[in-house]
Amino acid sequence: MLKSISGALVFFLCLSPIAAAQSPSPVTVIRAGVLIDGKASAPRRDQVIVVRGNRIESVSAAGSAAIPPGATVIDLSRATVLPGMIDCHTHIFLQGEVPEEGGYDIQLLKYPLAYRAARASVSARRALEQGFTTIRDVETEGAGYGDVGIKQAIEAGYIPGPRMFVVTRAISTSGGYPLEGYAPEIAVPKGVQVVDGPVEARKAAREQLDNGADWIKVYMTHRSWLDAAGNLVSQPTLTLEEIRAIVDETHGWGRKVACHAYNGIGLHRALDGGCDSIEHGLELDDAAVAQMVKQGTWYCPTMSVYYNDLGPADTPQGKRDRKRVAVHGPSLQKAMKAGVKIVFGTDVGGFPWTQPIAQEFPHLVEFGMSPMAAIQSATLHAAEMLGMSGQLGVIAPGAYADIVAVPGDPLKDVKDLERVSFVMKDGQVFRKD
Ligand SMILES: [Zn+2]
């Protein structure tokens, strides 16, 4: 069996250069009025981007650029052109469930997987429409390895969608994830793979990696509440031994671990355990910030989702929700000041996919990030975290041709990033208004 596979591979490798010679890659030229290339600290005016096949071949000033004969020319001379954006924290298998419609639980209890996958394919399309040409989708919420399937369908060209980095099922502990609150006698599904002990933790990571996880996602905190003094407290989940087993296994595969962690014990275990990215990080204390700088840990703050659906102000949940928002901004400011590496992420799916993903940008800018830095958190830096420096998140020779455009000037008003009018992914135009 092995022999015949390698034979087929050699045959394919021999064929492909001939096929390439017979049908030369199409060439597209984009005229950019203003170009934010992802790398430079300032935009450039009147640039010409040459795209050959699915790669950017050259970027040069309009006067000096030679237009290859036979090229398709796309005129974006009245727009701001930037690299395809990257949302580092999405959930295509969540739809911003509202309690009145059954909330989270009904997804796992009543909807067939195919129904959820169909909706996930719509979410994926929504990301692409909005100029997010890459997403790191951080768990399927009980839909198993559905993200691997959606990713395959996108790559095979059956459905439109962004490039996907997937984590599959995610990992937490007993008592560390919904579904919850059912009679103990009734077995209900969980939104994650539950592990207890370092052996189970390592095994879950192995299974998920074996089944296509590009990253591993771990929940290091779960419930959160206010203590008597009004401080935000969150329940830690995995022990240090458990998270260390997962990180050790995952790093051995050359992959990375994303840790959902709000604050306190769980946050510190995540960092001591060698987590690669802290998700949410609502309340980063000084020691955590210092450790993140030292270890090069990424911070994916996901501000937007915490501004959605605050509980009523006079309830314990409402007070807690407001406290979360109140500590989040200062954490971001602290991280920026210390030089923590920050990536753009929204937790979309936690709020409906009908809302704009780019709503995250104004939150980042509100707390002192420059619009250019905010854009780079969704391009250059996100690509770096994903191990795709030079390939994604930049408009530069050799990079994948993931290119978007917005009317207006997002460096003046980042809300302009909600008005994406042009999307090219992998050299193919998906949207042109
Ligand atoms: Zn999330």
Side-chain angles (χ1 to χ4, degrees):
M1 189 59 193
L2 261 182
K3 207 172 176 188
S4 67
I5 287 172
S6 60
L9 189 64
V10 169
F11 178 68
F12 175 75
L13 288 173
C14 292
L15 251 189
S16 49
I18 300 166
Q22 281 169 347
S23 55
S25 302
V27 180
T28 307
V29 169
I30 296 173
R31 294 185 177 280
V34 176
L35 175 67
I36 294 171
D37 71 3
K39 283 192 297 187
S41 55
R44 301 201 293 284
R45 299 206 147 268
D46 299 320
Q47 299 290 302
V48 170
I49 305 160
V50 176
V51 173
R52 190 178 295 273
N54 68 341
R55 298 274 184 173
I56 295 167
E57 187 173 79
S58 65
V59 182
S60 47
S64 65
I67 307 295
T72 304
V73 178
I74 296 172
D75 184 13
L76 299 174
S77 58
R78 295 160 70 85
T80 300
V81 175
L82 61 155
M85 294 180 283
I86 302 170
D87 188 340
C88 296
H89 192 124
T90 65
H91 297 280
I92 60 169
F93 280 88
L94 282 183
Q95 311 298 337
E97 285 71 20
V98 287
E100 302 80 66
E101 291 168 13
Y104 179 86
D105 293 19
I106 196 172
Q107 299 292 323
L108 281 74
L109 293 172
K110 293 207 168 171
Y111 293 142
L113 209 48
Y115 178 89
R116 295 191 66 193
R119 293 194 73 185
S121 72
V122 176
S123 306
R125 184 191 177 102
R126 282 285 299 147
L128 190 57
E129 280 171 359
Q130 296 175 71
F132 286 82
T133 52
T134 299
I135 59 174
R136 184 182 59 158
D137 198 71
V138 284
E139 88 128 316
T140 61
E141 311 287 354
Y145 293 92
D147 51 357
V148 176
I150 297 286
K151 175 183 166 175
Q152 286 172 348
I154 291 170
E155 286 179 353
Y158 290 112
I159 57 170
R163 300 176 192 279
M164 286 181 65
F165 290 80
V166 300
V167 311
T168 75
R169 301 179 62 192
I171 298 170
S172 190
T173 56
S174 290
Y177 211 77
L179 304 183
E180 301 170 322
Y182 292 84
E185 298 76 22
I186 298 173
V188 290
K190 292 286 181 186
V192 294
Q193 187 164 5
V194 169
V195 302
D196 293 295
V199 173
E200 284 185 18
R202 186 179 291 271
K203 183 158 196 261
R206 283 177 179 160
E207 278 177 18
Q208 294 181 8
L209 291 161
D210 192 29
N211 284 310
D214 301 305
W215 278 65
I216 292 294
K217 163 81 177 288
V218 183
Y219 286 86
M220 292 302 293
T221 61
H222 180 40
R223 295 169 176 84
S224 65
W225 62 90
L226 297 185
D227 69 11
N231 300 309
L232 184 70
V233 183
S234 56
Q235 167 213 347
T237 52
L238 281 81
T239 63
L240 190 53
E241 291 68 32
E242 288 165 339
I243 184 63
R244 276 194 176 139
I246 290 169
V247 169
D248 180 63
E249 183 66 28
T250 307
H251 284 179
W253 288 59
R255 311 262 167 91
K256 292 179 184 151
V257 180
C259 285
H260 166 115
Y262 279 0
N263 66 354
I265 301 167
L267 170 66
H268 283 277
R269 283 185 194 163
L271 293 171
D272 291 344
C275 241
D276 298 289
S277 74
I278 296 294
E279 308 300 306
H280 317 303
L282 298 186
E283 191 172 29
L284 302 178
D285 56 77
D286 293 344
V289 168
Q291 196 171 357
M292 290 171 80
V293 171
K294 187 166 167 238
Q295 294 179 187
T297 315
W298 296 91
Y299 179 33
C300 184
T302 72
M303 312 292 287
S304 308
V305 72
Y306 295 97
Y307 288 82
N308 274 268
D309 295 329
L310 299 175
D314 52 352
T315 63
Q317 195 202 338
K319 286 178 185 159
R320 179 206 62 182
D321 292 350
R322 280 159 185 78
K323 181 71 175 180
R324 286 172 170 181
V325 170
V327 297
H328 208 172
S331 292
L332 176 62
Q333 288 172 324
K334 213 185 275 189
M336 282 192 291
K337 195 165 166 226
V340 173
K341 300 187 291 183
I342 298 168
V343 288
F344 179 100
T346 58
D347 218 353
V348 56
F351 58 85
W353 281 90
T354 47
Q355 290 186 23
I357 296 173
Q359 67 180 277
E360 183 77 9
F361 288 109
H363 290 304
L364 298 174
V365 170
E366 179 192 337
F367 291 105
M369 198 180 278
S370 72
M372 185 60 99
I375 289 170
Q376 289 185 337
S377 78
T379 53
L380 182 74
H381 301 308
E384 190 191 333
M385 184 184 78
L386 295 172
M388 295 297 286
S389 287
Q391 306 284 304
L392 301 177
V394 290
I395 295 182
Y400 285 110
D402 291 1
I403 299 170
V404 303
V406 294
D409 180 0
L411 297 177
K412 280 215 183 81
D413 184 359
V414 279
K415 279 190 82 65
D416 283 347
L417 293 166
E418 290 184 9
R419 300 192 291 138
V420 166
S421 56
F422 173 82
V423 179
M424 170 184 275
K425 182 198 147 202
D426 213 33
Q428 297 199 354
V429 177
F430 173 69
R431 174 175 192 166
K432 191 173 183 307
D433 296 2

